[in-house]
Amino acid sequence: MRNLTIQTAVLASLSFLAVDSFAAGFVTLPTSGTTAYVQCRTTGNFGSTTDSSFPAAPDDACVAPNGVGVALSITSSPETGFTLQSSNSTAITAFSETLATLNERVFRNSGAGQCIYAKQVLMSNATTHDYNPDLAGVQKMEVNDYAFGGYTGAVSAAYAKQSAGFSSAFRIGRTFTSVQMQADASVPANVAAGYLVLPTAGGTSGTEINGVGQTLTPPGSPTAAQQQAPFSSSWVDFTTDVTAGVDEDGTTNPSSPNMYIKQACANATVSVVANSFKIRQTGQETQPWVTVTASSRAPSSTITP
C-alpha cells in the first residue's frame, strides 16, 4: 500500500482573479510573480459541471499542438519533431487494491535538445476506489490533482484528451501544493466565493493541499492564505477531475488527460524516483483530503517541494 494521508485540516482562500488570454500549445510555467499556475480550461468549472468534449478555441489554452479536438493517443508525439524514446506502465496500489495505472512516455527532439515527459493515469474500473474502507459504504476517490516531481529548471506544460469523456487539465502549476477548489452550491458553473481559479503565490513549501479541508456542505469559504501555493523548482501540478466511479457531483471521468512536461534534456534518460508522484483528492465537494504517494519516472531525482 502506498503512502496514504487523509486530512481534514483547516488551511485556506481568496477572491477571483482574471485569467490570461487563451492560446493553444505548450505554456511556460511561471517561476515568479503573483501565481504559480496558468489556467487551461474554463468549461466544466474544474469538473463541477460537464466536461465531456474536446477543448476547442477559444477554450483550448495549454492543449498540445497535436491534440486540439482529436483523440490523441499517449503513444503519439504531442508535438512535431519529437519521437518516442521510452514507454512504461505501472500499477498504483492504494486502499488494498489497484487504484490506477500510470502510463509514462518520453519523447525527444534531438535537434532542439528537448524532451517531453508524458503521463496518463487511468483509474481502474474493476475496483471500488474506497478511499476510507473503515467507513460504511463505498467512498469513491475523486482525483482533483496529479503532481509530478523531478523536473528542475525551466519547464513548459500542456495536455490533451485521449477521449472526450476523460478529464481536462483545468490549470497547471509550477508548484508542489494542490489548492482546493469548490463550485457555488446554487450555481455549479460558478466558482464559490473566496476560491481562486489562479491561486496566489505564497504559503509554506511542502504543503500537500491548501484549502478549508472537509466541509459537510459546500462551499465552505476559505481565507486568502488558504488559496496560496508556493513556487517549486522541481514539481508540476495538474488540476483535474477524475474518478472511475460516479463521484459526489454525479459524473465520471475515468482517466486523466495526457499530461505533458517539456524541458531541455541532454538525453532521454529517466529513472524511477521514489515519492515523486502524488494523487490528491482535495475536497471539491464534501470529501476529505486524501493523498496517495507513489513512484514515477523522472529525469532528475531532486523532488524537494
Side-chain angles (χ1 to χ4, degrees):
M1 189 174 191
R2 304 290 182 180
N3 181 21
L4 171 65
T5 305
I6 298 180
Q7 302 165 316
T8 55
V10 175
L11 286 139
S13 181
L14 256 157
S15 57
F16 188 84
L17 290 179
V19 299
D20 295 332
S21 58
F22 293 107
F26 278 82
V27 293
T28 300
L29 298 184
T31 57
S32 62
T34 60
T35 180
Y37 279 93
V38 295
Q39 185 179 8
C40 297
R41 197 172 197 204
T42 61
T43 298
N45 190 22
F46 292 81
S48 293
T49 59
T50 301
D51 174 31
S52 58
S53 62
F54 289 113
D59 197 19
D60 62 345
C62 315
V63 173
N66 293 346
V68 179
V70 299
L72 181 66
S73 169
I74 192 73
T75 59
S76 298
S77 174
E79 189 171 54
T80 302
F82 288 79
T83 57
L84 182 65
Q85 303 293 305
S86 65
S87 174
N88 294 279
S89 296
T90 306
I92 305 300
T93 303
F95 323 126
S96 301
E97 62 186 10
T98 299
L99 179 69
T101 298
L102 170 62
N103 296 311
E104 299 180 284
R105 311 286 186 262
V106 180
F107 301 90
R108 188 165 190 262
N109 184 324
S110 57
Q114 292 182 319
C115 289
I116 295 175
Y117 306 94
K119 315 285 185 179
Q120 181 204 40
V121 185
L122 180 62
M123 305 302 286
S124 173
N125 283 313
T127 55
T128 60
H129 308 101
D130 191 357
Y131 61 75
N132 193 345
D134 292 332
L135 292 180
V138 175
Q139 290 75 43
K140 295 182 182 297
M141 186 176 183
E142 176 184 306
V143 182
N144 306 111
D145 289 80
Y146 297 99
F148 301 94
Y151 300 90
T152 58
V155 302
S156 58
Y159 82 99
K161 282 189 169 192
Q162 185 172 325
S163 168
F166 290 177
S167 176
S168 297
F170 298 100
R171 64 188 176 200
I172 306 174
R174 188 62 160 133
T175 182
F176 171 81
T177 301
S178 300
V179 179
Q180 187 176 25
M181 168 58 72
Q182 290 192 346
D184 187 311
S186 59
V187 186
N190 294 340
V191 174
Y195 289 87
L196 297 180
V197 170
L198 297 175
T200 57
T204 303
S205 296
T207 300
E208 292 266 5
I209 302 171
N210 196 8
V212 301
Q214 186 176 18
T215 56
L216 296 179
T217 58
S221 185
T223 66
Q226 292 170 330
Q227 289 287 280
Q228 291 182 327
F231 290 101
S232 171
S233 60
S234 56
W235 284 81
V236 177
D237 180 271
F238 292 81
T239 303
T240 64
D241 182 72
V242 178
T243 176
V246 177
D247 60 18
E248 291 189 28
D249 56 29
T251 61
T252 176
N253 298 312
S255 175
S256 76
N258 297 339
M259 299 172 283
Y260 302 114
I261 302 169
K262 182 168 68 173
Q263 63 179 175
C265 63
N267 53 58
T269 302
V270 290
S271 58
V272 176
V273 180
N275 304 322
S276 64
F277 175 38
K278 302 285 185 174
I279 302 176
R280 293 175 177 144
Q281 175 175 278
T282 65
Q284 188 179 6
E285 281 82 34
T286 62
Q287 308 96 328
W289 293 353
V290 178
T291 297
V292 175
T293 301
S295 299
S296 65
R297 288 169 173 80
S300 170
S301 60
T302 299
I303 60 170
T304 303

